[in-house]
Amino acid sequence: MPTLILVRHGRSTANTEGLLAGWTPGVALDERGTAQAASLPGRLEGVPISEVVASPLQRCQETIQPLLDARPGLAAHSEERIGECHYGDWSGRKLAELGDEPLMEVVQAHPSAAAFPGGESMRAMQTRAAEAVREWNARVERDHGADAVYLMCSHGDIIKSLVADALGLHLDLFQRISVEPCSITVIRYTRLRPFLVRLGDTGDFASLVPREEAAGGDAPVGGGAGAP
């Protein structure tokens, strides 16, 4: 079965403004995110990517564009099922404000029971994304062979949920996984089990440098903004 490269979109304007973007239209890459996207073709140089599949949201489409420009003829597809979680009434709100919502504790500690008001549950988010990957695995293998490599550009919570699925982790443990903007995660699927080959690889260790304000114990909903 194929090898899947999961790329989280580059840093967005919502990331830097501390907003939970969700499906809010017009959320673009910021200056750093644009630079991260521009570096993607070099980071993936030599990797024989057969197909590119991306969330329809602007920040993901902008992230893959430099790669598509560098590889004319590479087929690209839009896939709504790997689009961001539908955060409903939380979309567009400040993450700092959402921290006081009682539901945030559930999102952090028991995400399998979390459903966003006016949006979807985190279980539904994981299910649709995992189903999309399995269908694309079959399609890519059919069209390009069992050793094919393809790329999906998606969002932090989606990628974390797919890693949890690949590792056989309960969704309640997925907040222990971290993927920064424009990080690369790789899962090699086989007939019997998936193998996690890379996780959140940015090639940059700036996020490990201690910050003036220590990071809290909560996971950043939506994925966070990455290194400063």
Side-chain angles (χ1 to χ4, degrees):
M1 297 177 68
T3 295
L4 170 60
I5 299 172
L6 287 162
V7 177
R8 185 184 167 198
H9 62 77
R11 196 174 74 177
S12 72
T13 54
N15 293 145
T16 48
E17 293 170 10
L19 300 175
L20 186 62
W23 284 71
T24 304
V27 177
L29 299 183
D30 67 5
E31 185 176 354
R32 179 170 180 174
T34 300
Q36 289 171 332
S39 72
L40 203 55
R43 292 167 65 194
L44 294 171
E45 186 176 4
V47 179
I49 299 170
S50 59
E51 305 264 359
V52 171
V53 184
S55 157
L57 294 171
Q58 181 178 341
R59 52 198 183 273
C60 286
Q61 296 293 322
E62 290 179 347
T63 298
I64 63 169
Q65 194 56 54
L67 179 63
L68 298 177
D69 291 342
R71 302 194 186 195
L74 179 60
H77 312 271
S78 181
E79 172 59 79
E80 287 202 4
R81 290 175 296 174
I82 61 167
E84 182 62 285
C85 184
H86 290 277
Y87 296 116
D89 297 344
W90 281 25
S91 298
R93 292 182 59 188
K94 286 276 190 182
L95 286 163
E97 298 173 359
L98 292 170
D100 296 328
E101 294 280 354
L103 178 60
M104 182 59 85
E105 186 177 10
V106 181
V107 170
Q108 291 292 326
H110 191 19
S112 66
F116 296 98
E120 70 179 331
S121 70
M122 301 197 89
R123 292 191 319 278
M125 173 199 75
Q126 183 186 44
T127 297
R128 64 172 164 85
E131 287 177 349
V133 166
R134 282 165 173 75
E135 289 180 19
W136 277 99
N137 281 348
R139 176 173 171 174
V140 169
E141 181 172 5
R142 180 197 68 202
D143 294 343
H144 302 282
D147 295 326
V149 178
Y150 74 109
L151 182 147
M152 279 186 168
C153 183
S154 188
H155 307 265
D157 281 350
I158 296 289
I159 294 172
K160 288 162 56 177
S161 74
L162 289 171
V163 170
D165 175 76
L167 292 177
L169 292 177
H170 196 283
L171 184 61
D172 286 344
L173 300 179
F174 100 126
Q175 297 289 28
R176 303 183 183 195
I177 299 165
S178 176
V179 289
E180 292 196 4
C182 221
S183 62
I184 292 174
T185 294
V186 182
I187 301 171
R188 185 171 72 247
Y189 289 88
T190 73
R191 186 174 64 85
L192 296 180
R193 64 184 62 85
F195 292 90
L196 181 63
V197 181
R198 295 283 189 279
L199 176 61
D201 189 345
T202 64
D204 179 2
F205 295 98
S207 63
L208 301 181
V209 177
R211 305 184 187 183
E212 291 184 8
E213 292 186 9
D218 285 346
V221 180

